[in-house]
Amino acid sequence: MANSFFALLFRQKYIKRWSLMRNSEEETLSRHSMECAVLTHALAVVGNRIYGRSYDAAALALRALYHDAAEVFTGDLPTPTKYFSPQMRRSYADIEKSAVCSLLSQLPEELRGDFEPLLADADGDGAKIIKAADKLCALIKCADELKSGNAEFRRAYDTTEASLLAMDMDEVRYFMRELMPSFSLSLDDMNE
C-alpha cells in the first residue's frame, strides 16, 4: 500500500476547471476547494448570526474543503456534460463513488474512519450550504471573467445567478446583497 491519499490530494493543483470555456485566468481544483471552504464557512456564519441557525461552521468548511476530492481521479467534468442527461448524471455519480473508495483506500486503515465522512456526500442543510458555496464560487469566477472582458462567461453568470436565487436560501440572498458587490470593485475601491 502506497498510502498516497495526501500526495493525490495535493495533485489538485494540476486539475484545471472550466475546461470547455476560454479563461482569462485558469482556476485549479485546489484553489476552488479552498475558496468553497471559505464561502461555506461564511454562509454558515451568516446563517448563525443573522438568521439564528445552528450550523457547525467549522465542520461544514472542512467538508467543503474535501467536497471535490474525488476529482483527483475523475478530473473536473464540466457541468453541461455532468447534467447532460439523467443517465449521464447517474453514471457520473457511480464513477465519483468509485473514485472516493479508491482515494480512501490510499489511507492507512487506522485513519480512514476520520476521512470517510469528509468525502461522503453531505446531507440536509449542510449539503445545501456547501452546494450554495460551490455555486457562489462559480458566480465569482464568472464575475471575474466578465470584469476581465471575457464575454464568454455572460450566460454562465446569468444561469448561475438564477440557480443561486432558485435555492431560496436566506444566507445566499444575504451574501449576494451584502458581500457579492465588492467582487466587482478594483483593489483601490475596496480599500476606500
Side-chain angles (χ1 to χ4, degrees):
M1 175 70 53
N3 294 328
S4 303
F5 180 86
F6 294 104
L8 286 164
L9 282 183
F10 273 64
R11 297 185 71 79
Q12 289 180 338
K13 64 187 165 217
Y14 302 124
I15 298 172
K16 306 289 189 252
R17 293 176 45 83
W18 301 91
S19 61
L20 292 179
M21 300 177 78
R22 182 180 59 80
N23 288 258
S24 61
E25 182 182 347
E26 286 188 341
E27 179 182 315
T28 66
L29 182 57
S30 59
R31 175 179 163 184
H32 166 70
S33 295
M34 183 280 299
E35 290 175 353
C36 188
V38 167
L39 292 181
T40 296
H41 186 263
L43 290 176
V45 169
V46 166
N48 292 343
R49 300 286 179 240
I50 308 296
Y51 299 104
R53 313 277 199 260
S54 56
Y55 299 122
D56 184 339
L60 288 174
L62 187 59
R63 286 187 73 106
L65 193 58
Y66 287 90
H67 83 284
D68 280 340
E71 291 183 11
V72 298
F73 289 124
T74 67
D76 178 52
L77 191 64
T79 297
T81 305
K82 192 183 296 186
Y83 295 103
F84 180 75
S85 69
Q87 180 185 1
M88 184 77 93
R89 181 64 194 129
R90 284 190 304 273
S91 295
Y92 188 69
D94 291 341
I95 291 167
E96 281 182 316
K97 286 178 188 169
S98 178
V100 165
C101 288
S102 293
L103 193 54
L104 286 169
S105 75
Q106 296 296 319
L107 277 167
E109 184 71 39
E110 59 271 18
L111 300 181
R112 288 182 194 163
D114 291 291
F115 289 89
E116 189 170 7
L118 298 174
L119 274 64
D121 287 336
D123 54 4
D125 289 339
K128 280 187 78 173
I129 290 289
I130 294 169
K131 187 66 172 169
D134 196 35
K135 287 184 181 295
L136 279 170
C137 286
L139 189 69
I140 291 165
K141 166 65 174 170
C142 293
D144 285 347
E145 289 290 333
L146 290 170
K147 192 164 75 171
S148 296
N150 186 357
E152 182 155 344
F153 279 78
R154 168 52 50 205
R155 187 167 179 198
Y157 182 95
D158 293 341
T159 301
T160 304
E161 182 180 46
S163 177
L164 277 161
L165 293 173
M167 293 181 88
D168 193 29
M169 294 175 65
D170 294 328
E171 298 86 351
V172 169
R173 284 189 292 274
Y174 180 94
F175 188 94
M176 292 177 73
R177 182 181 66 247
E178 300 295 330
L179 305 170
M180 187 67 190
S182 63
F183 283 90
S184 66
L185 300 176
S186 70
L187 179 62
D188 291 334
D189 291 337
M190 285 183 214
N191 288 320
E192 285 188 348

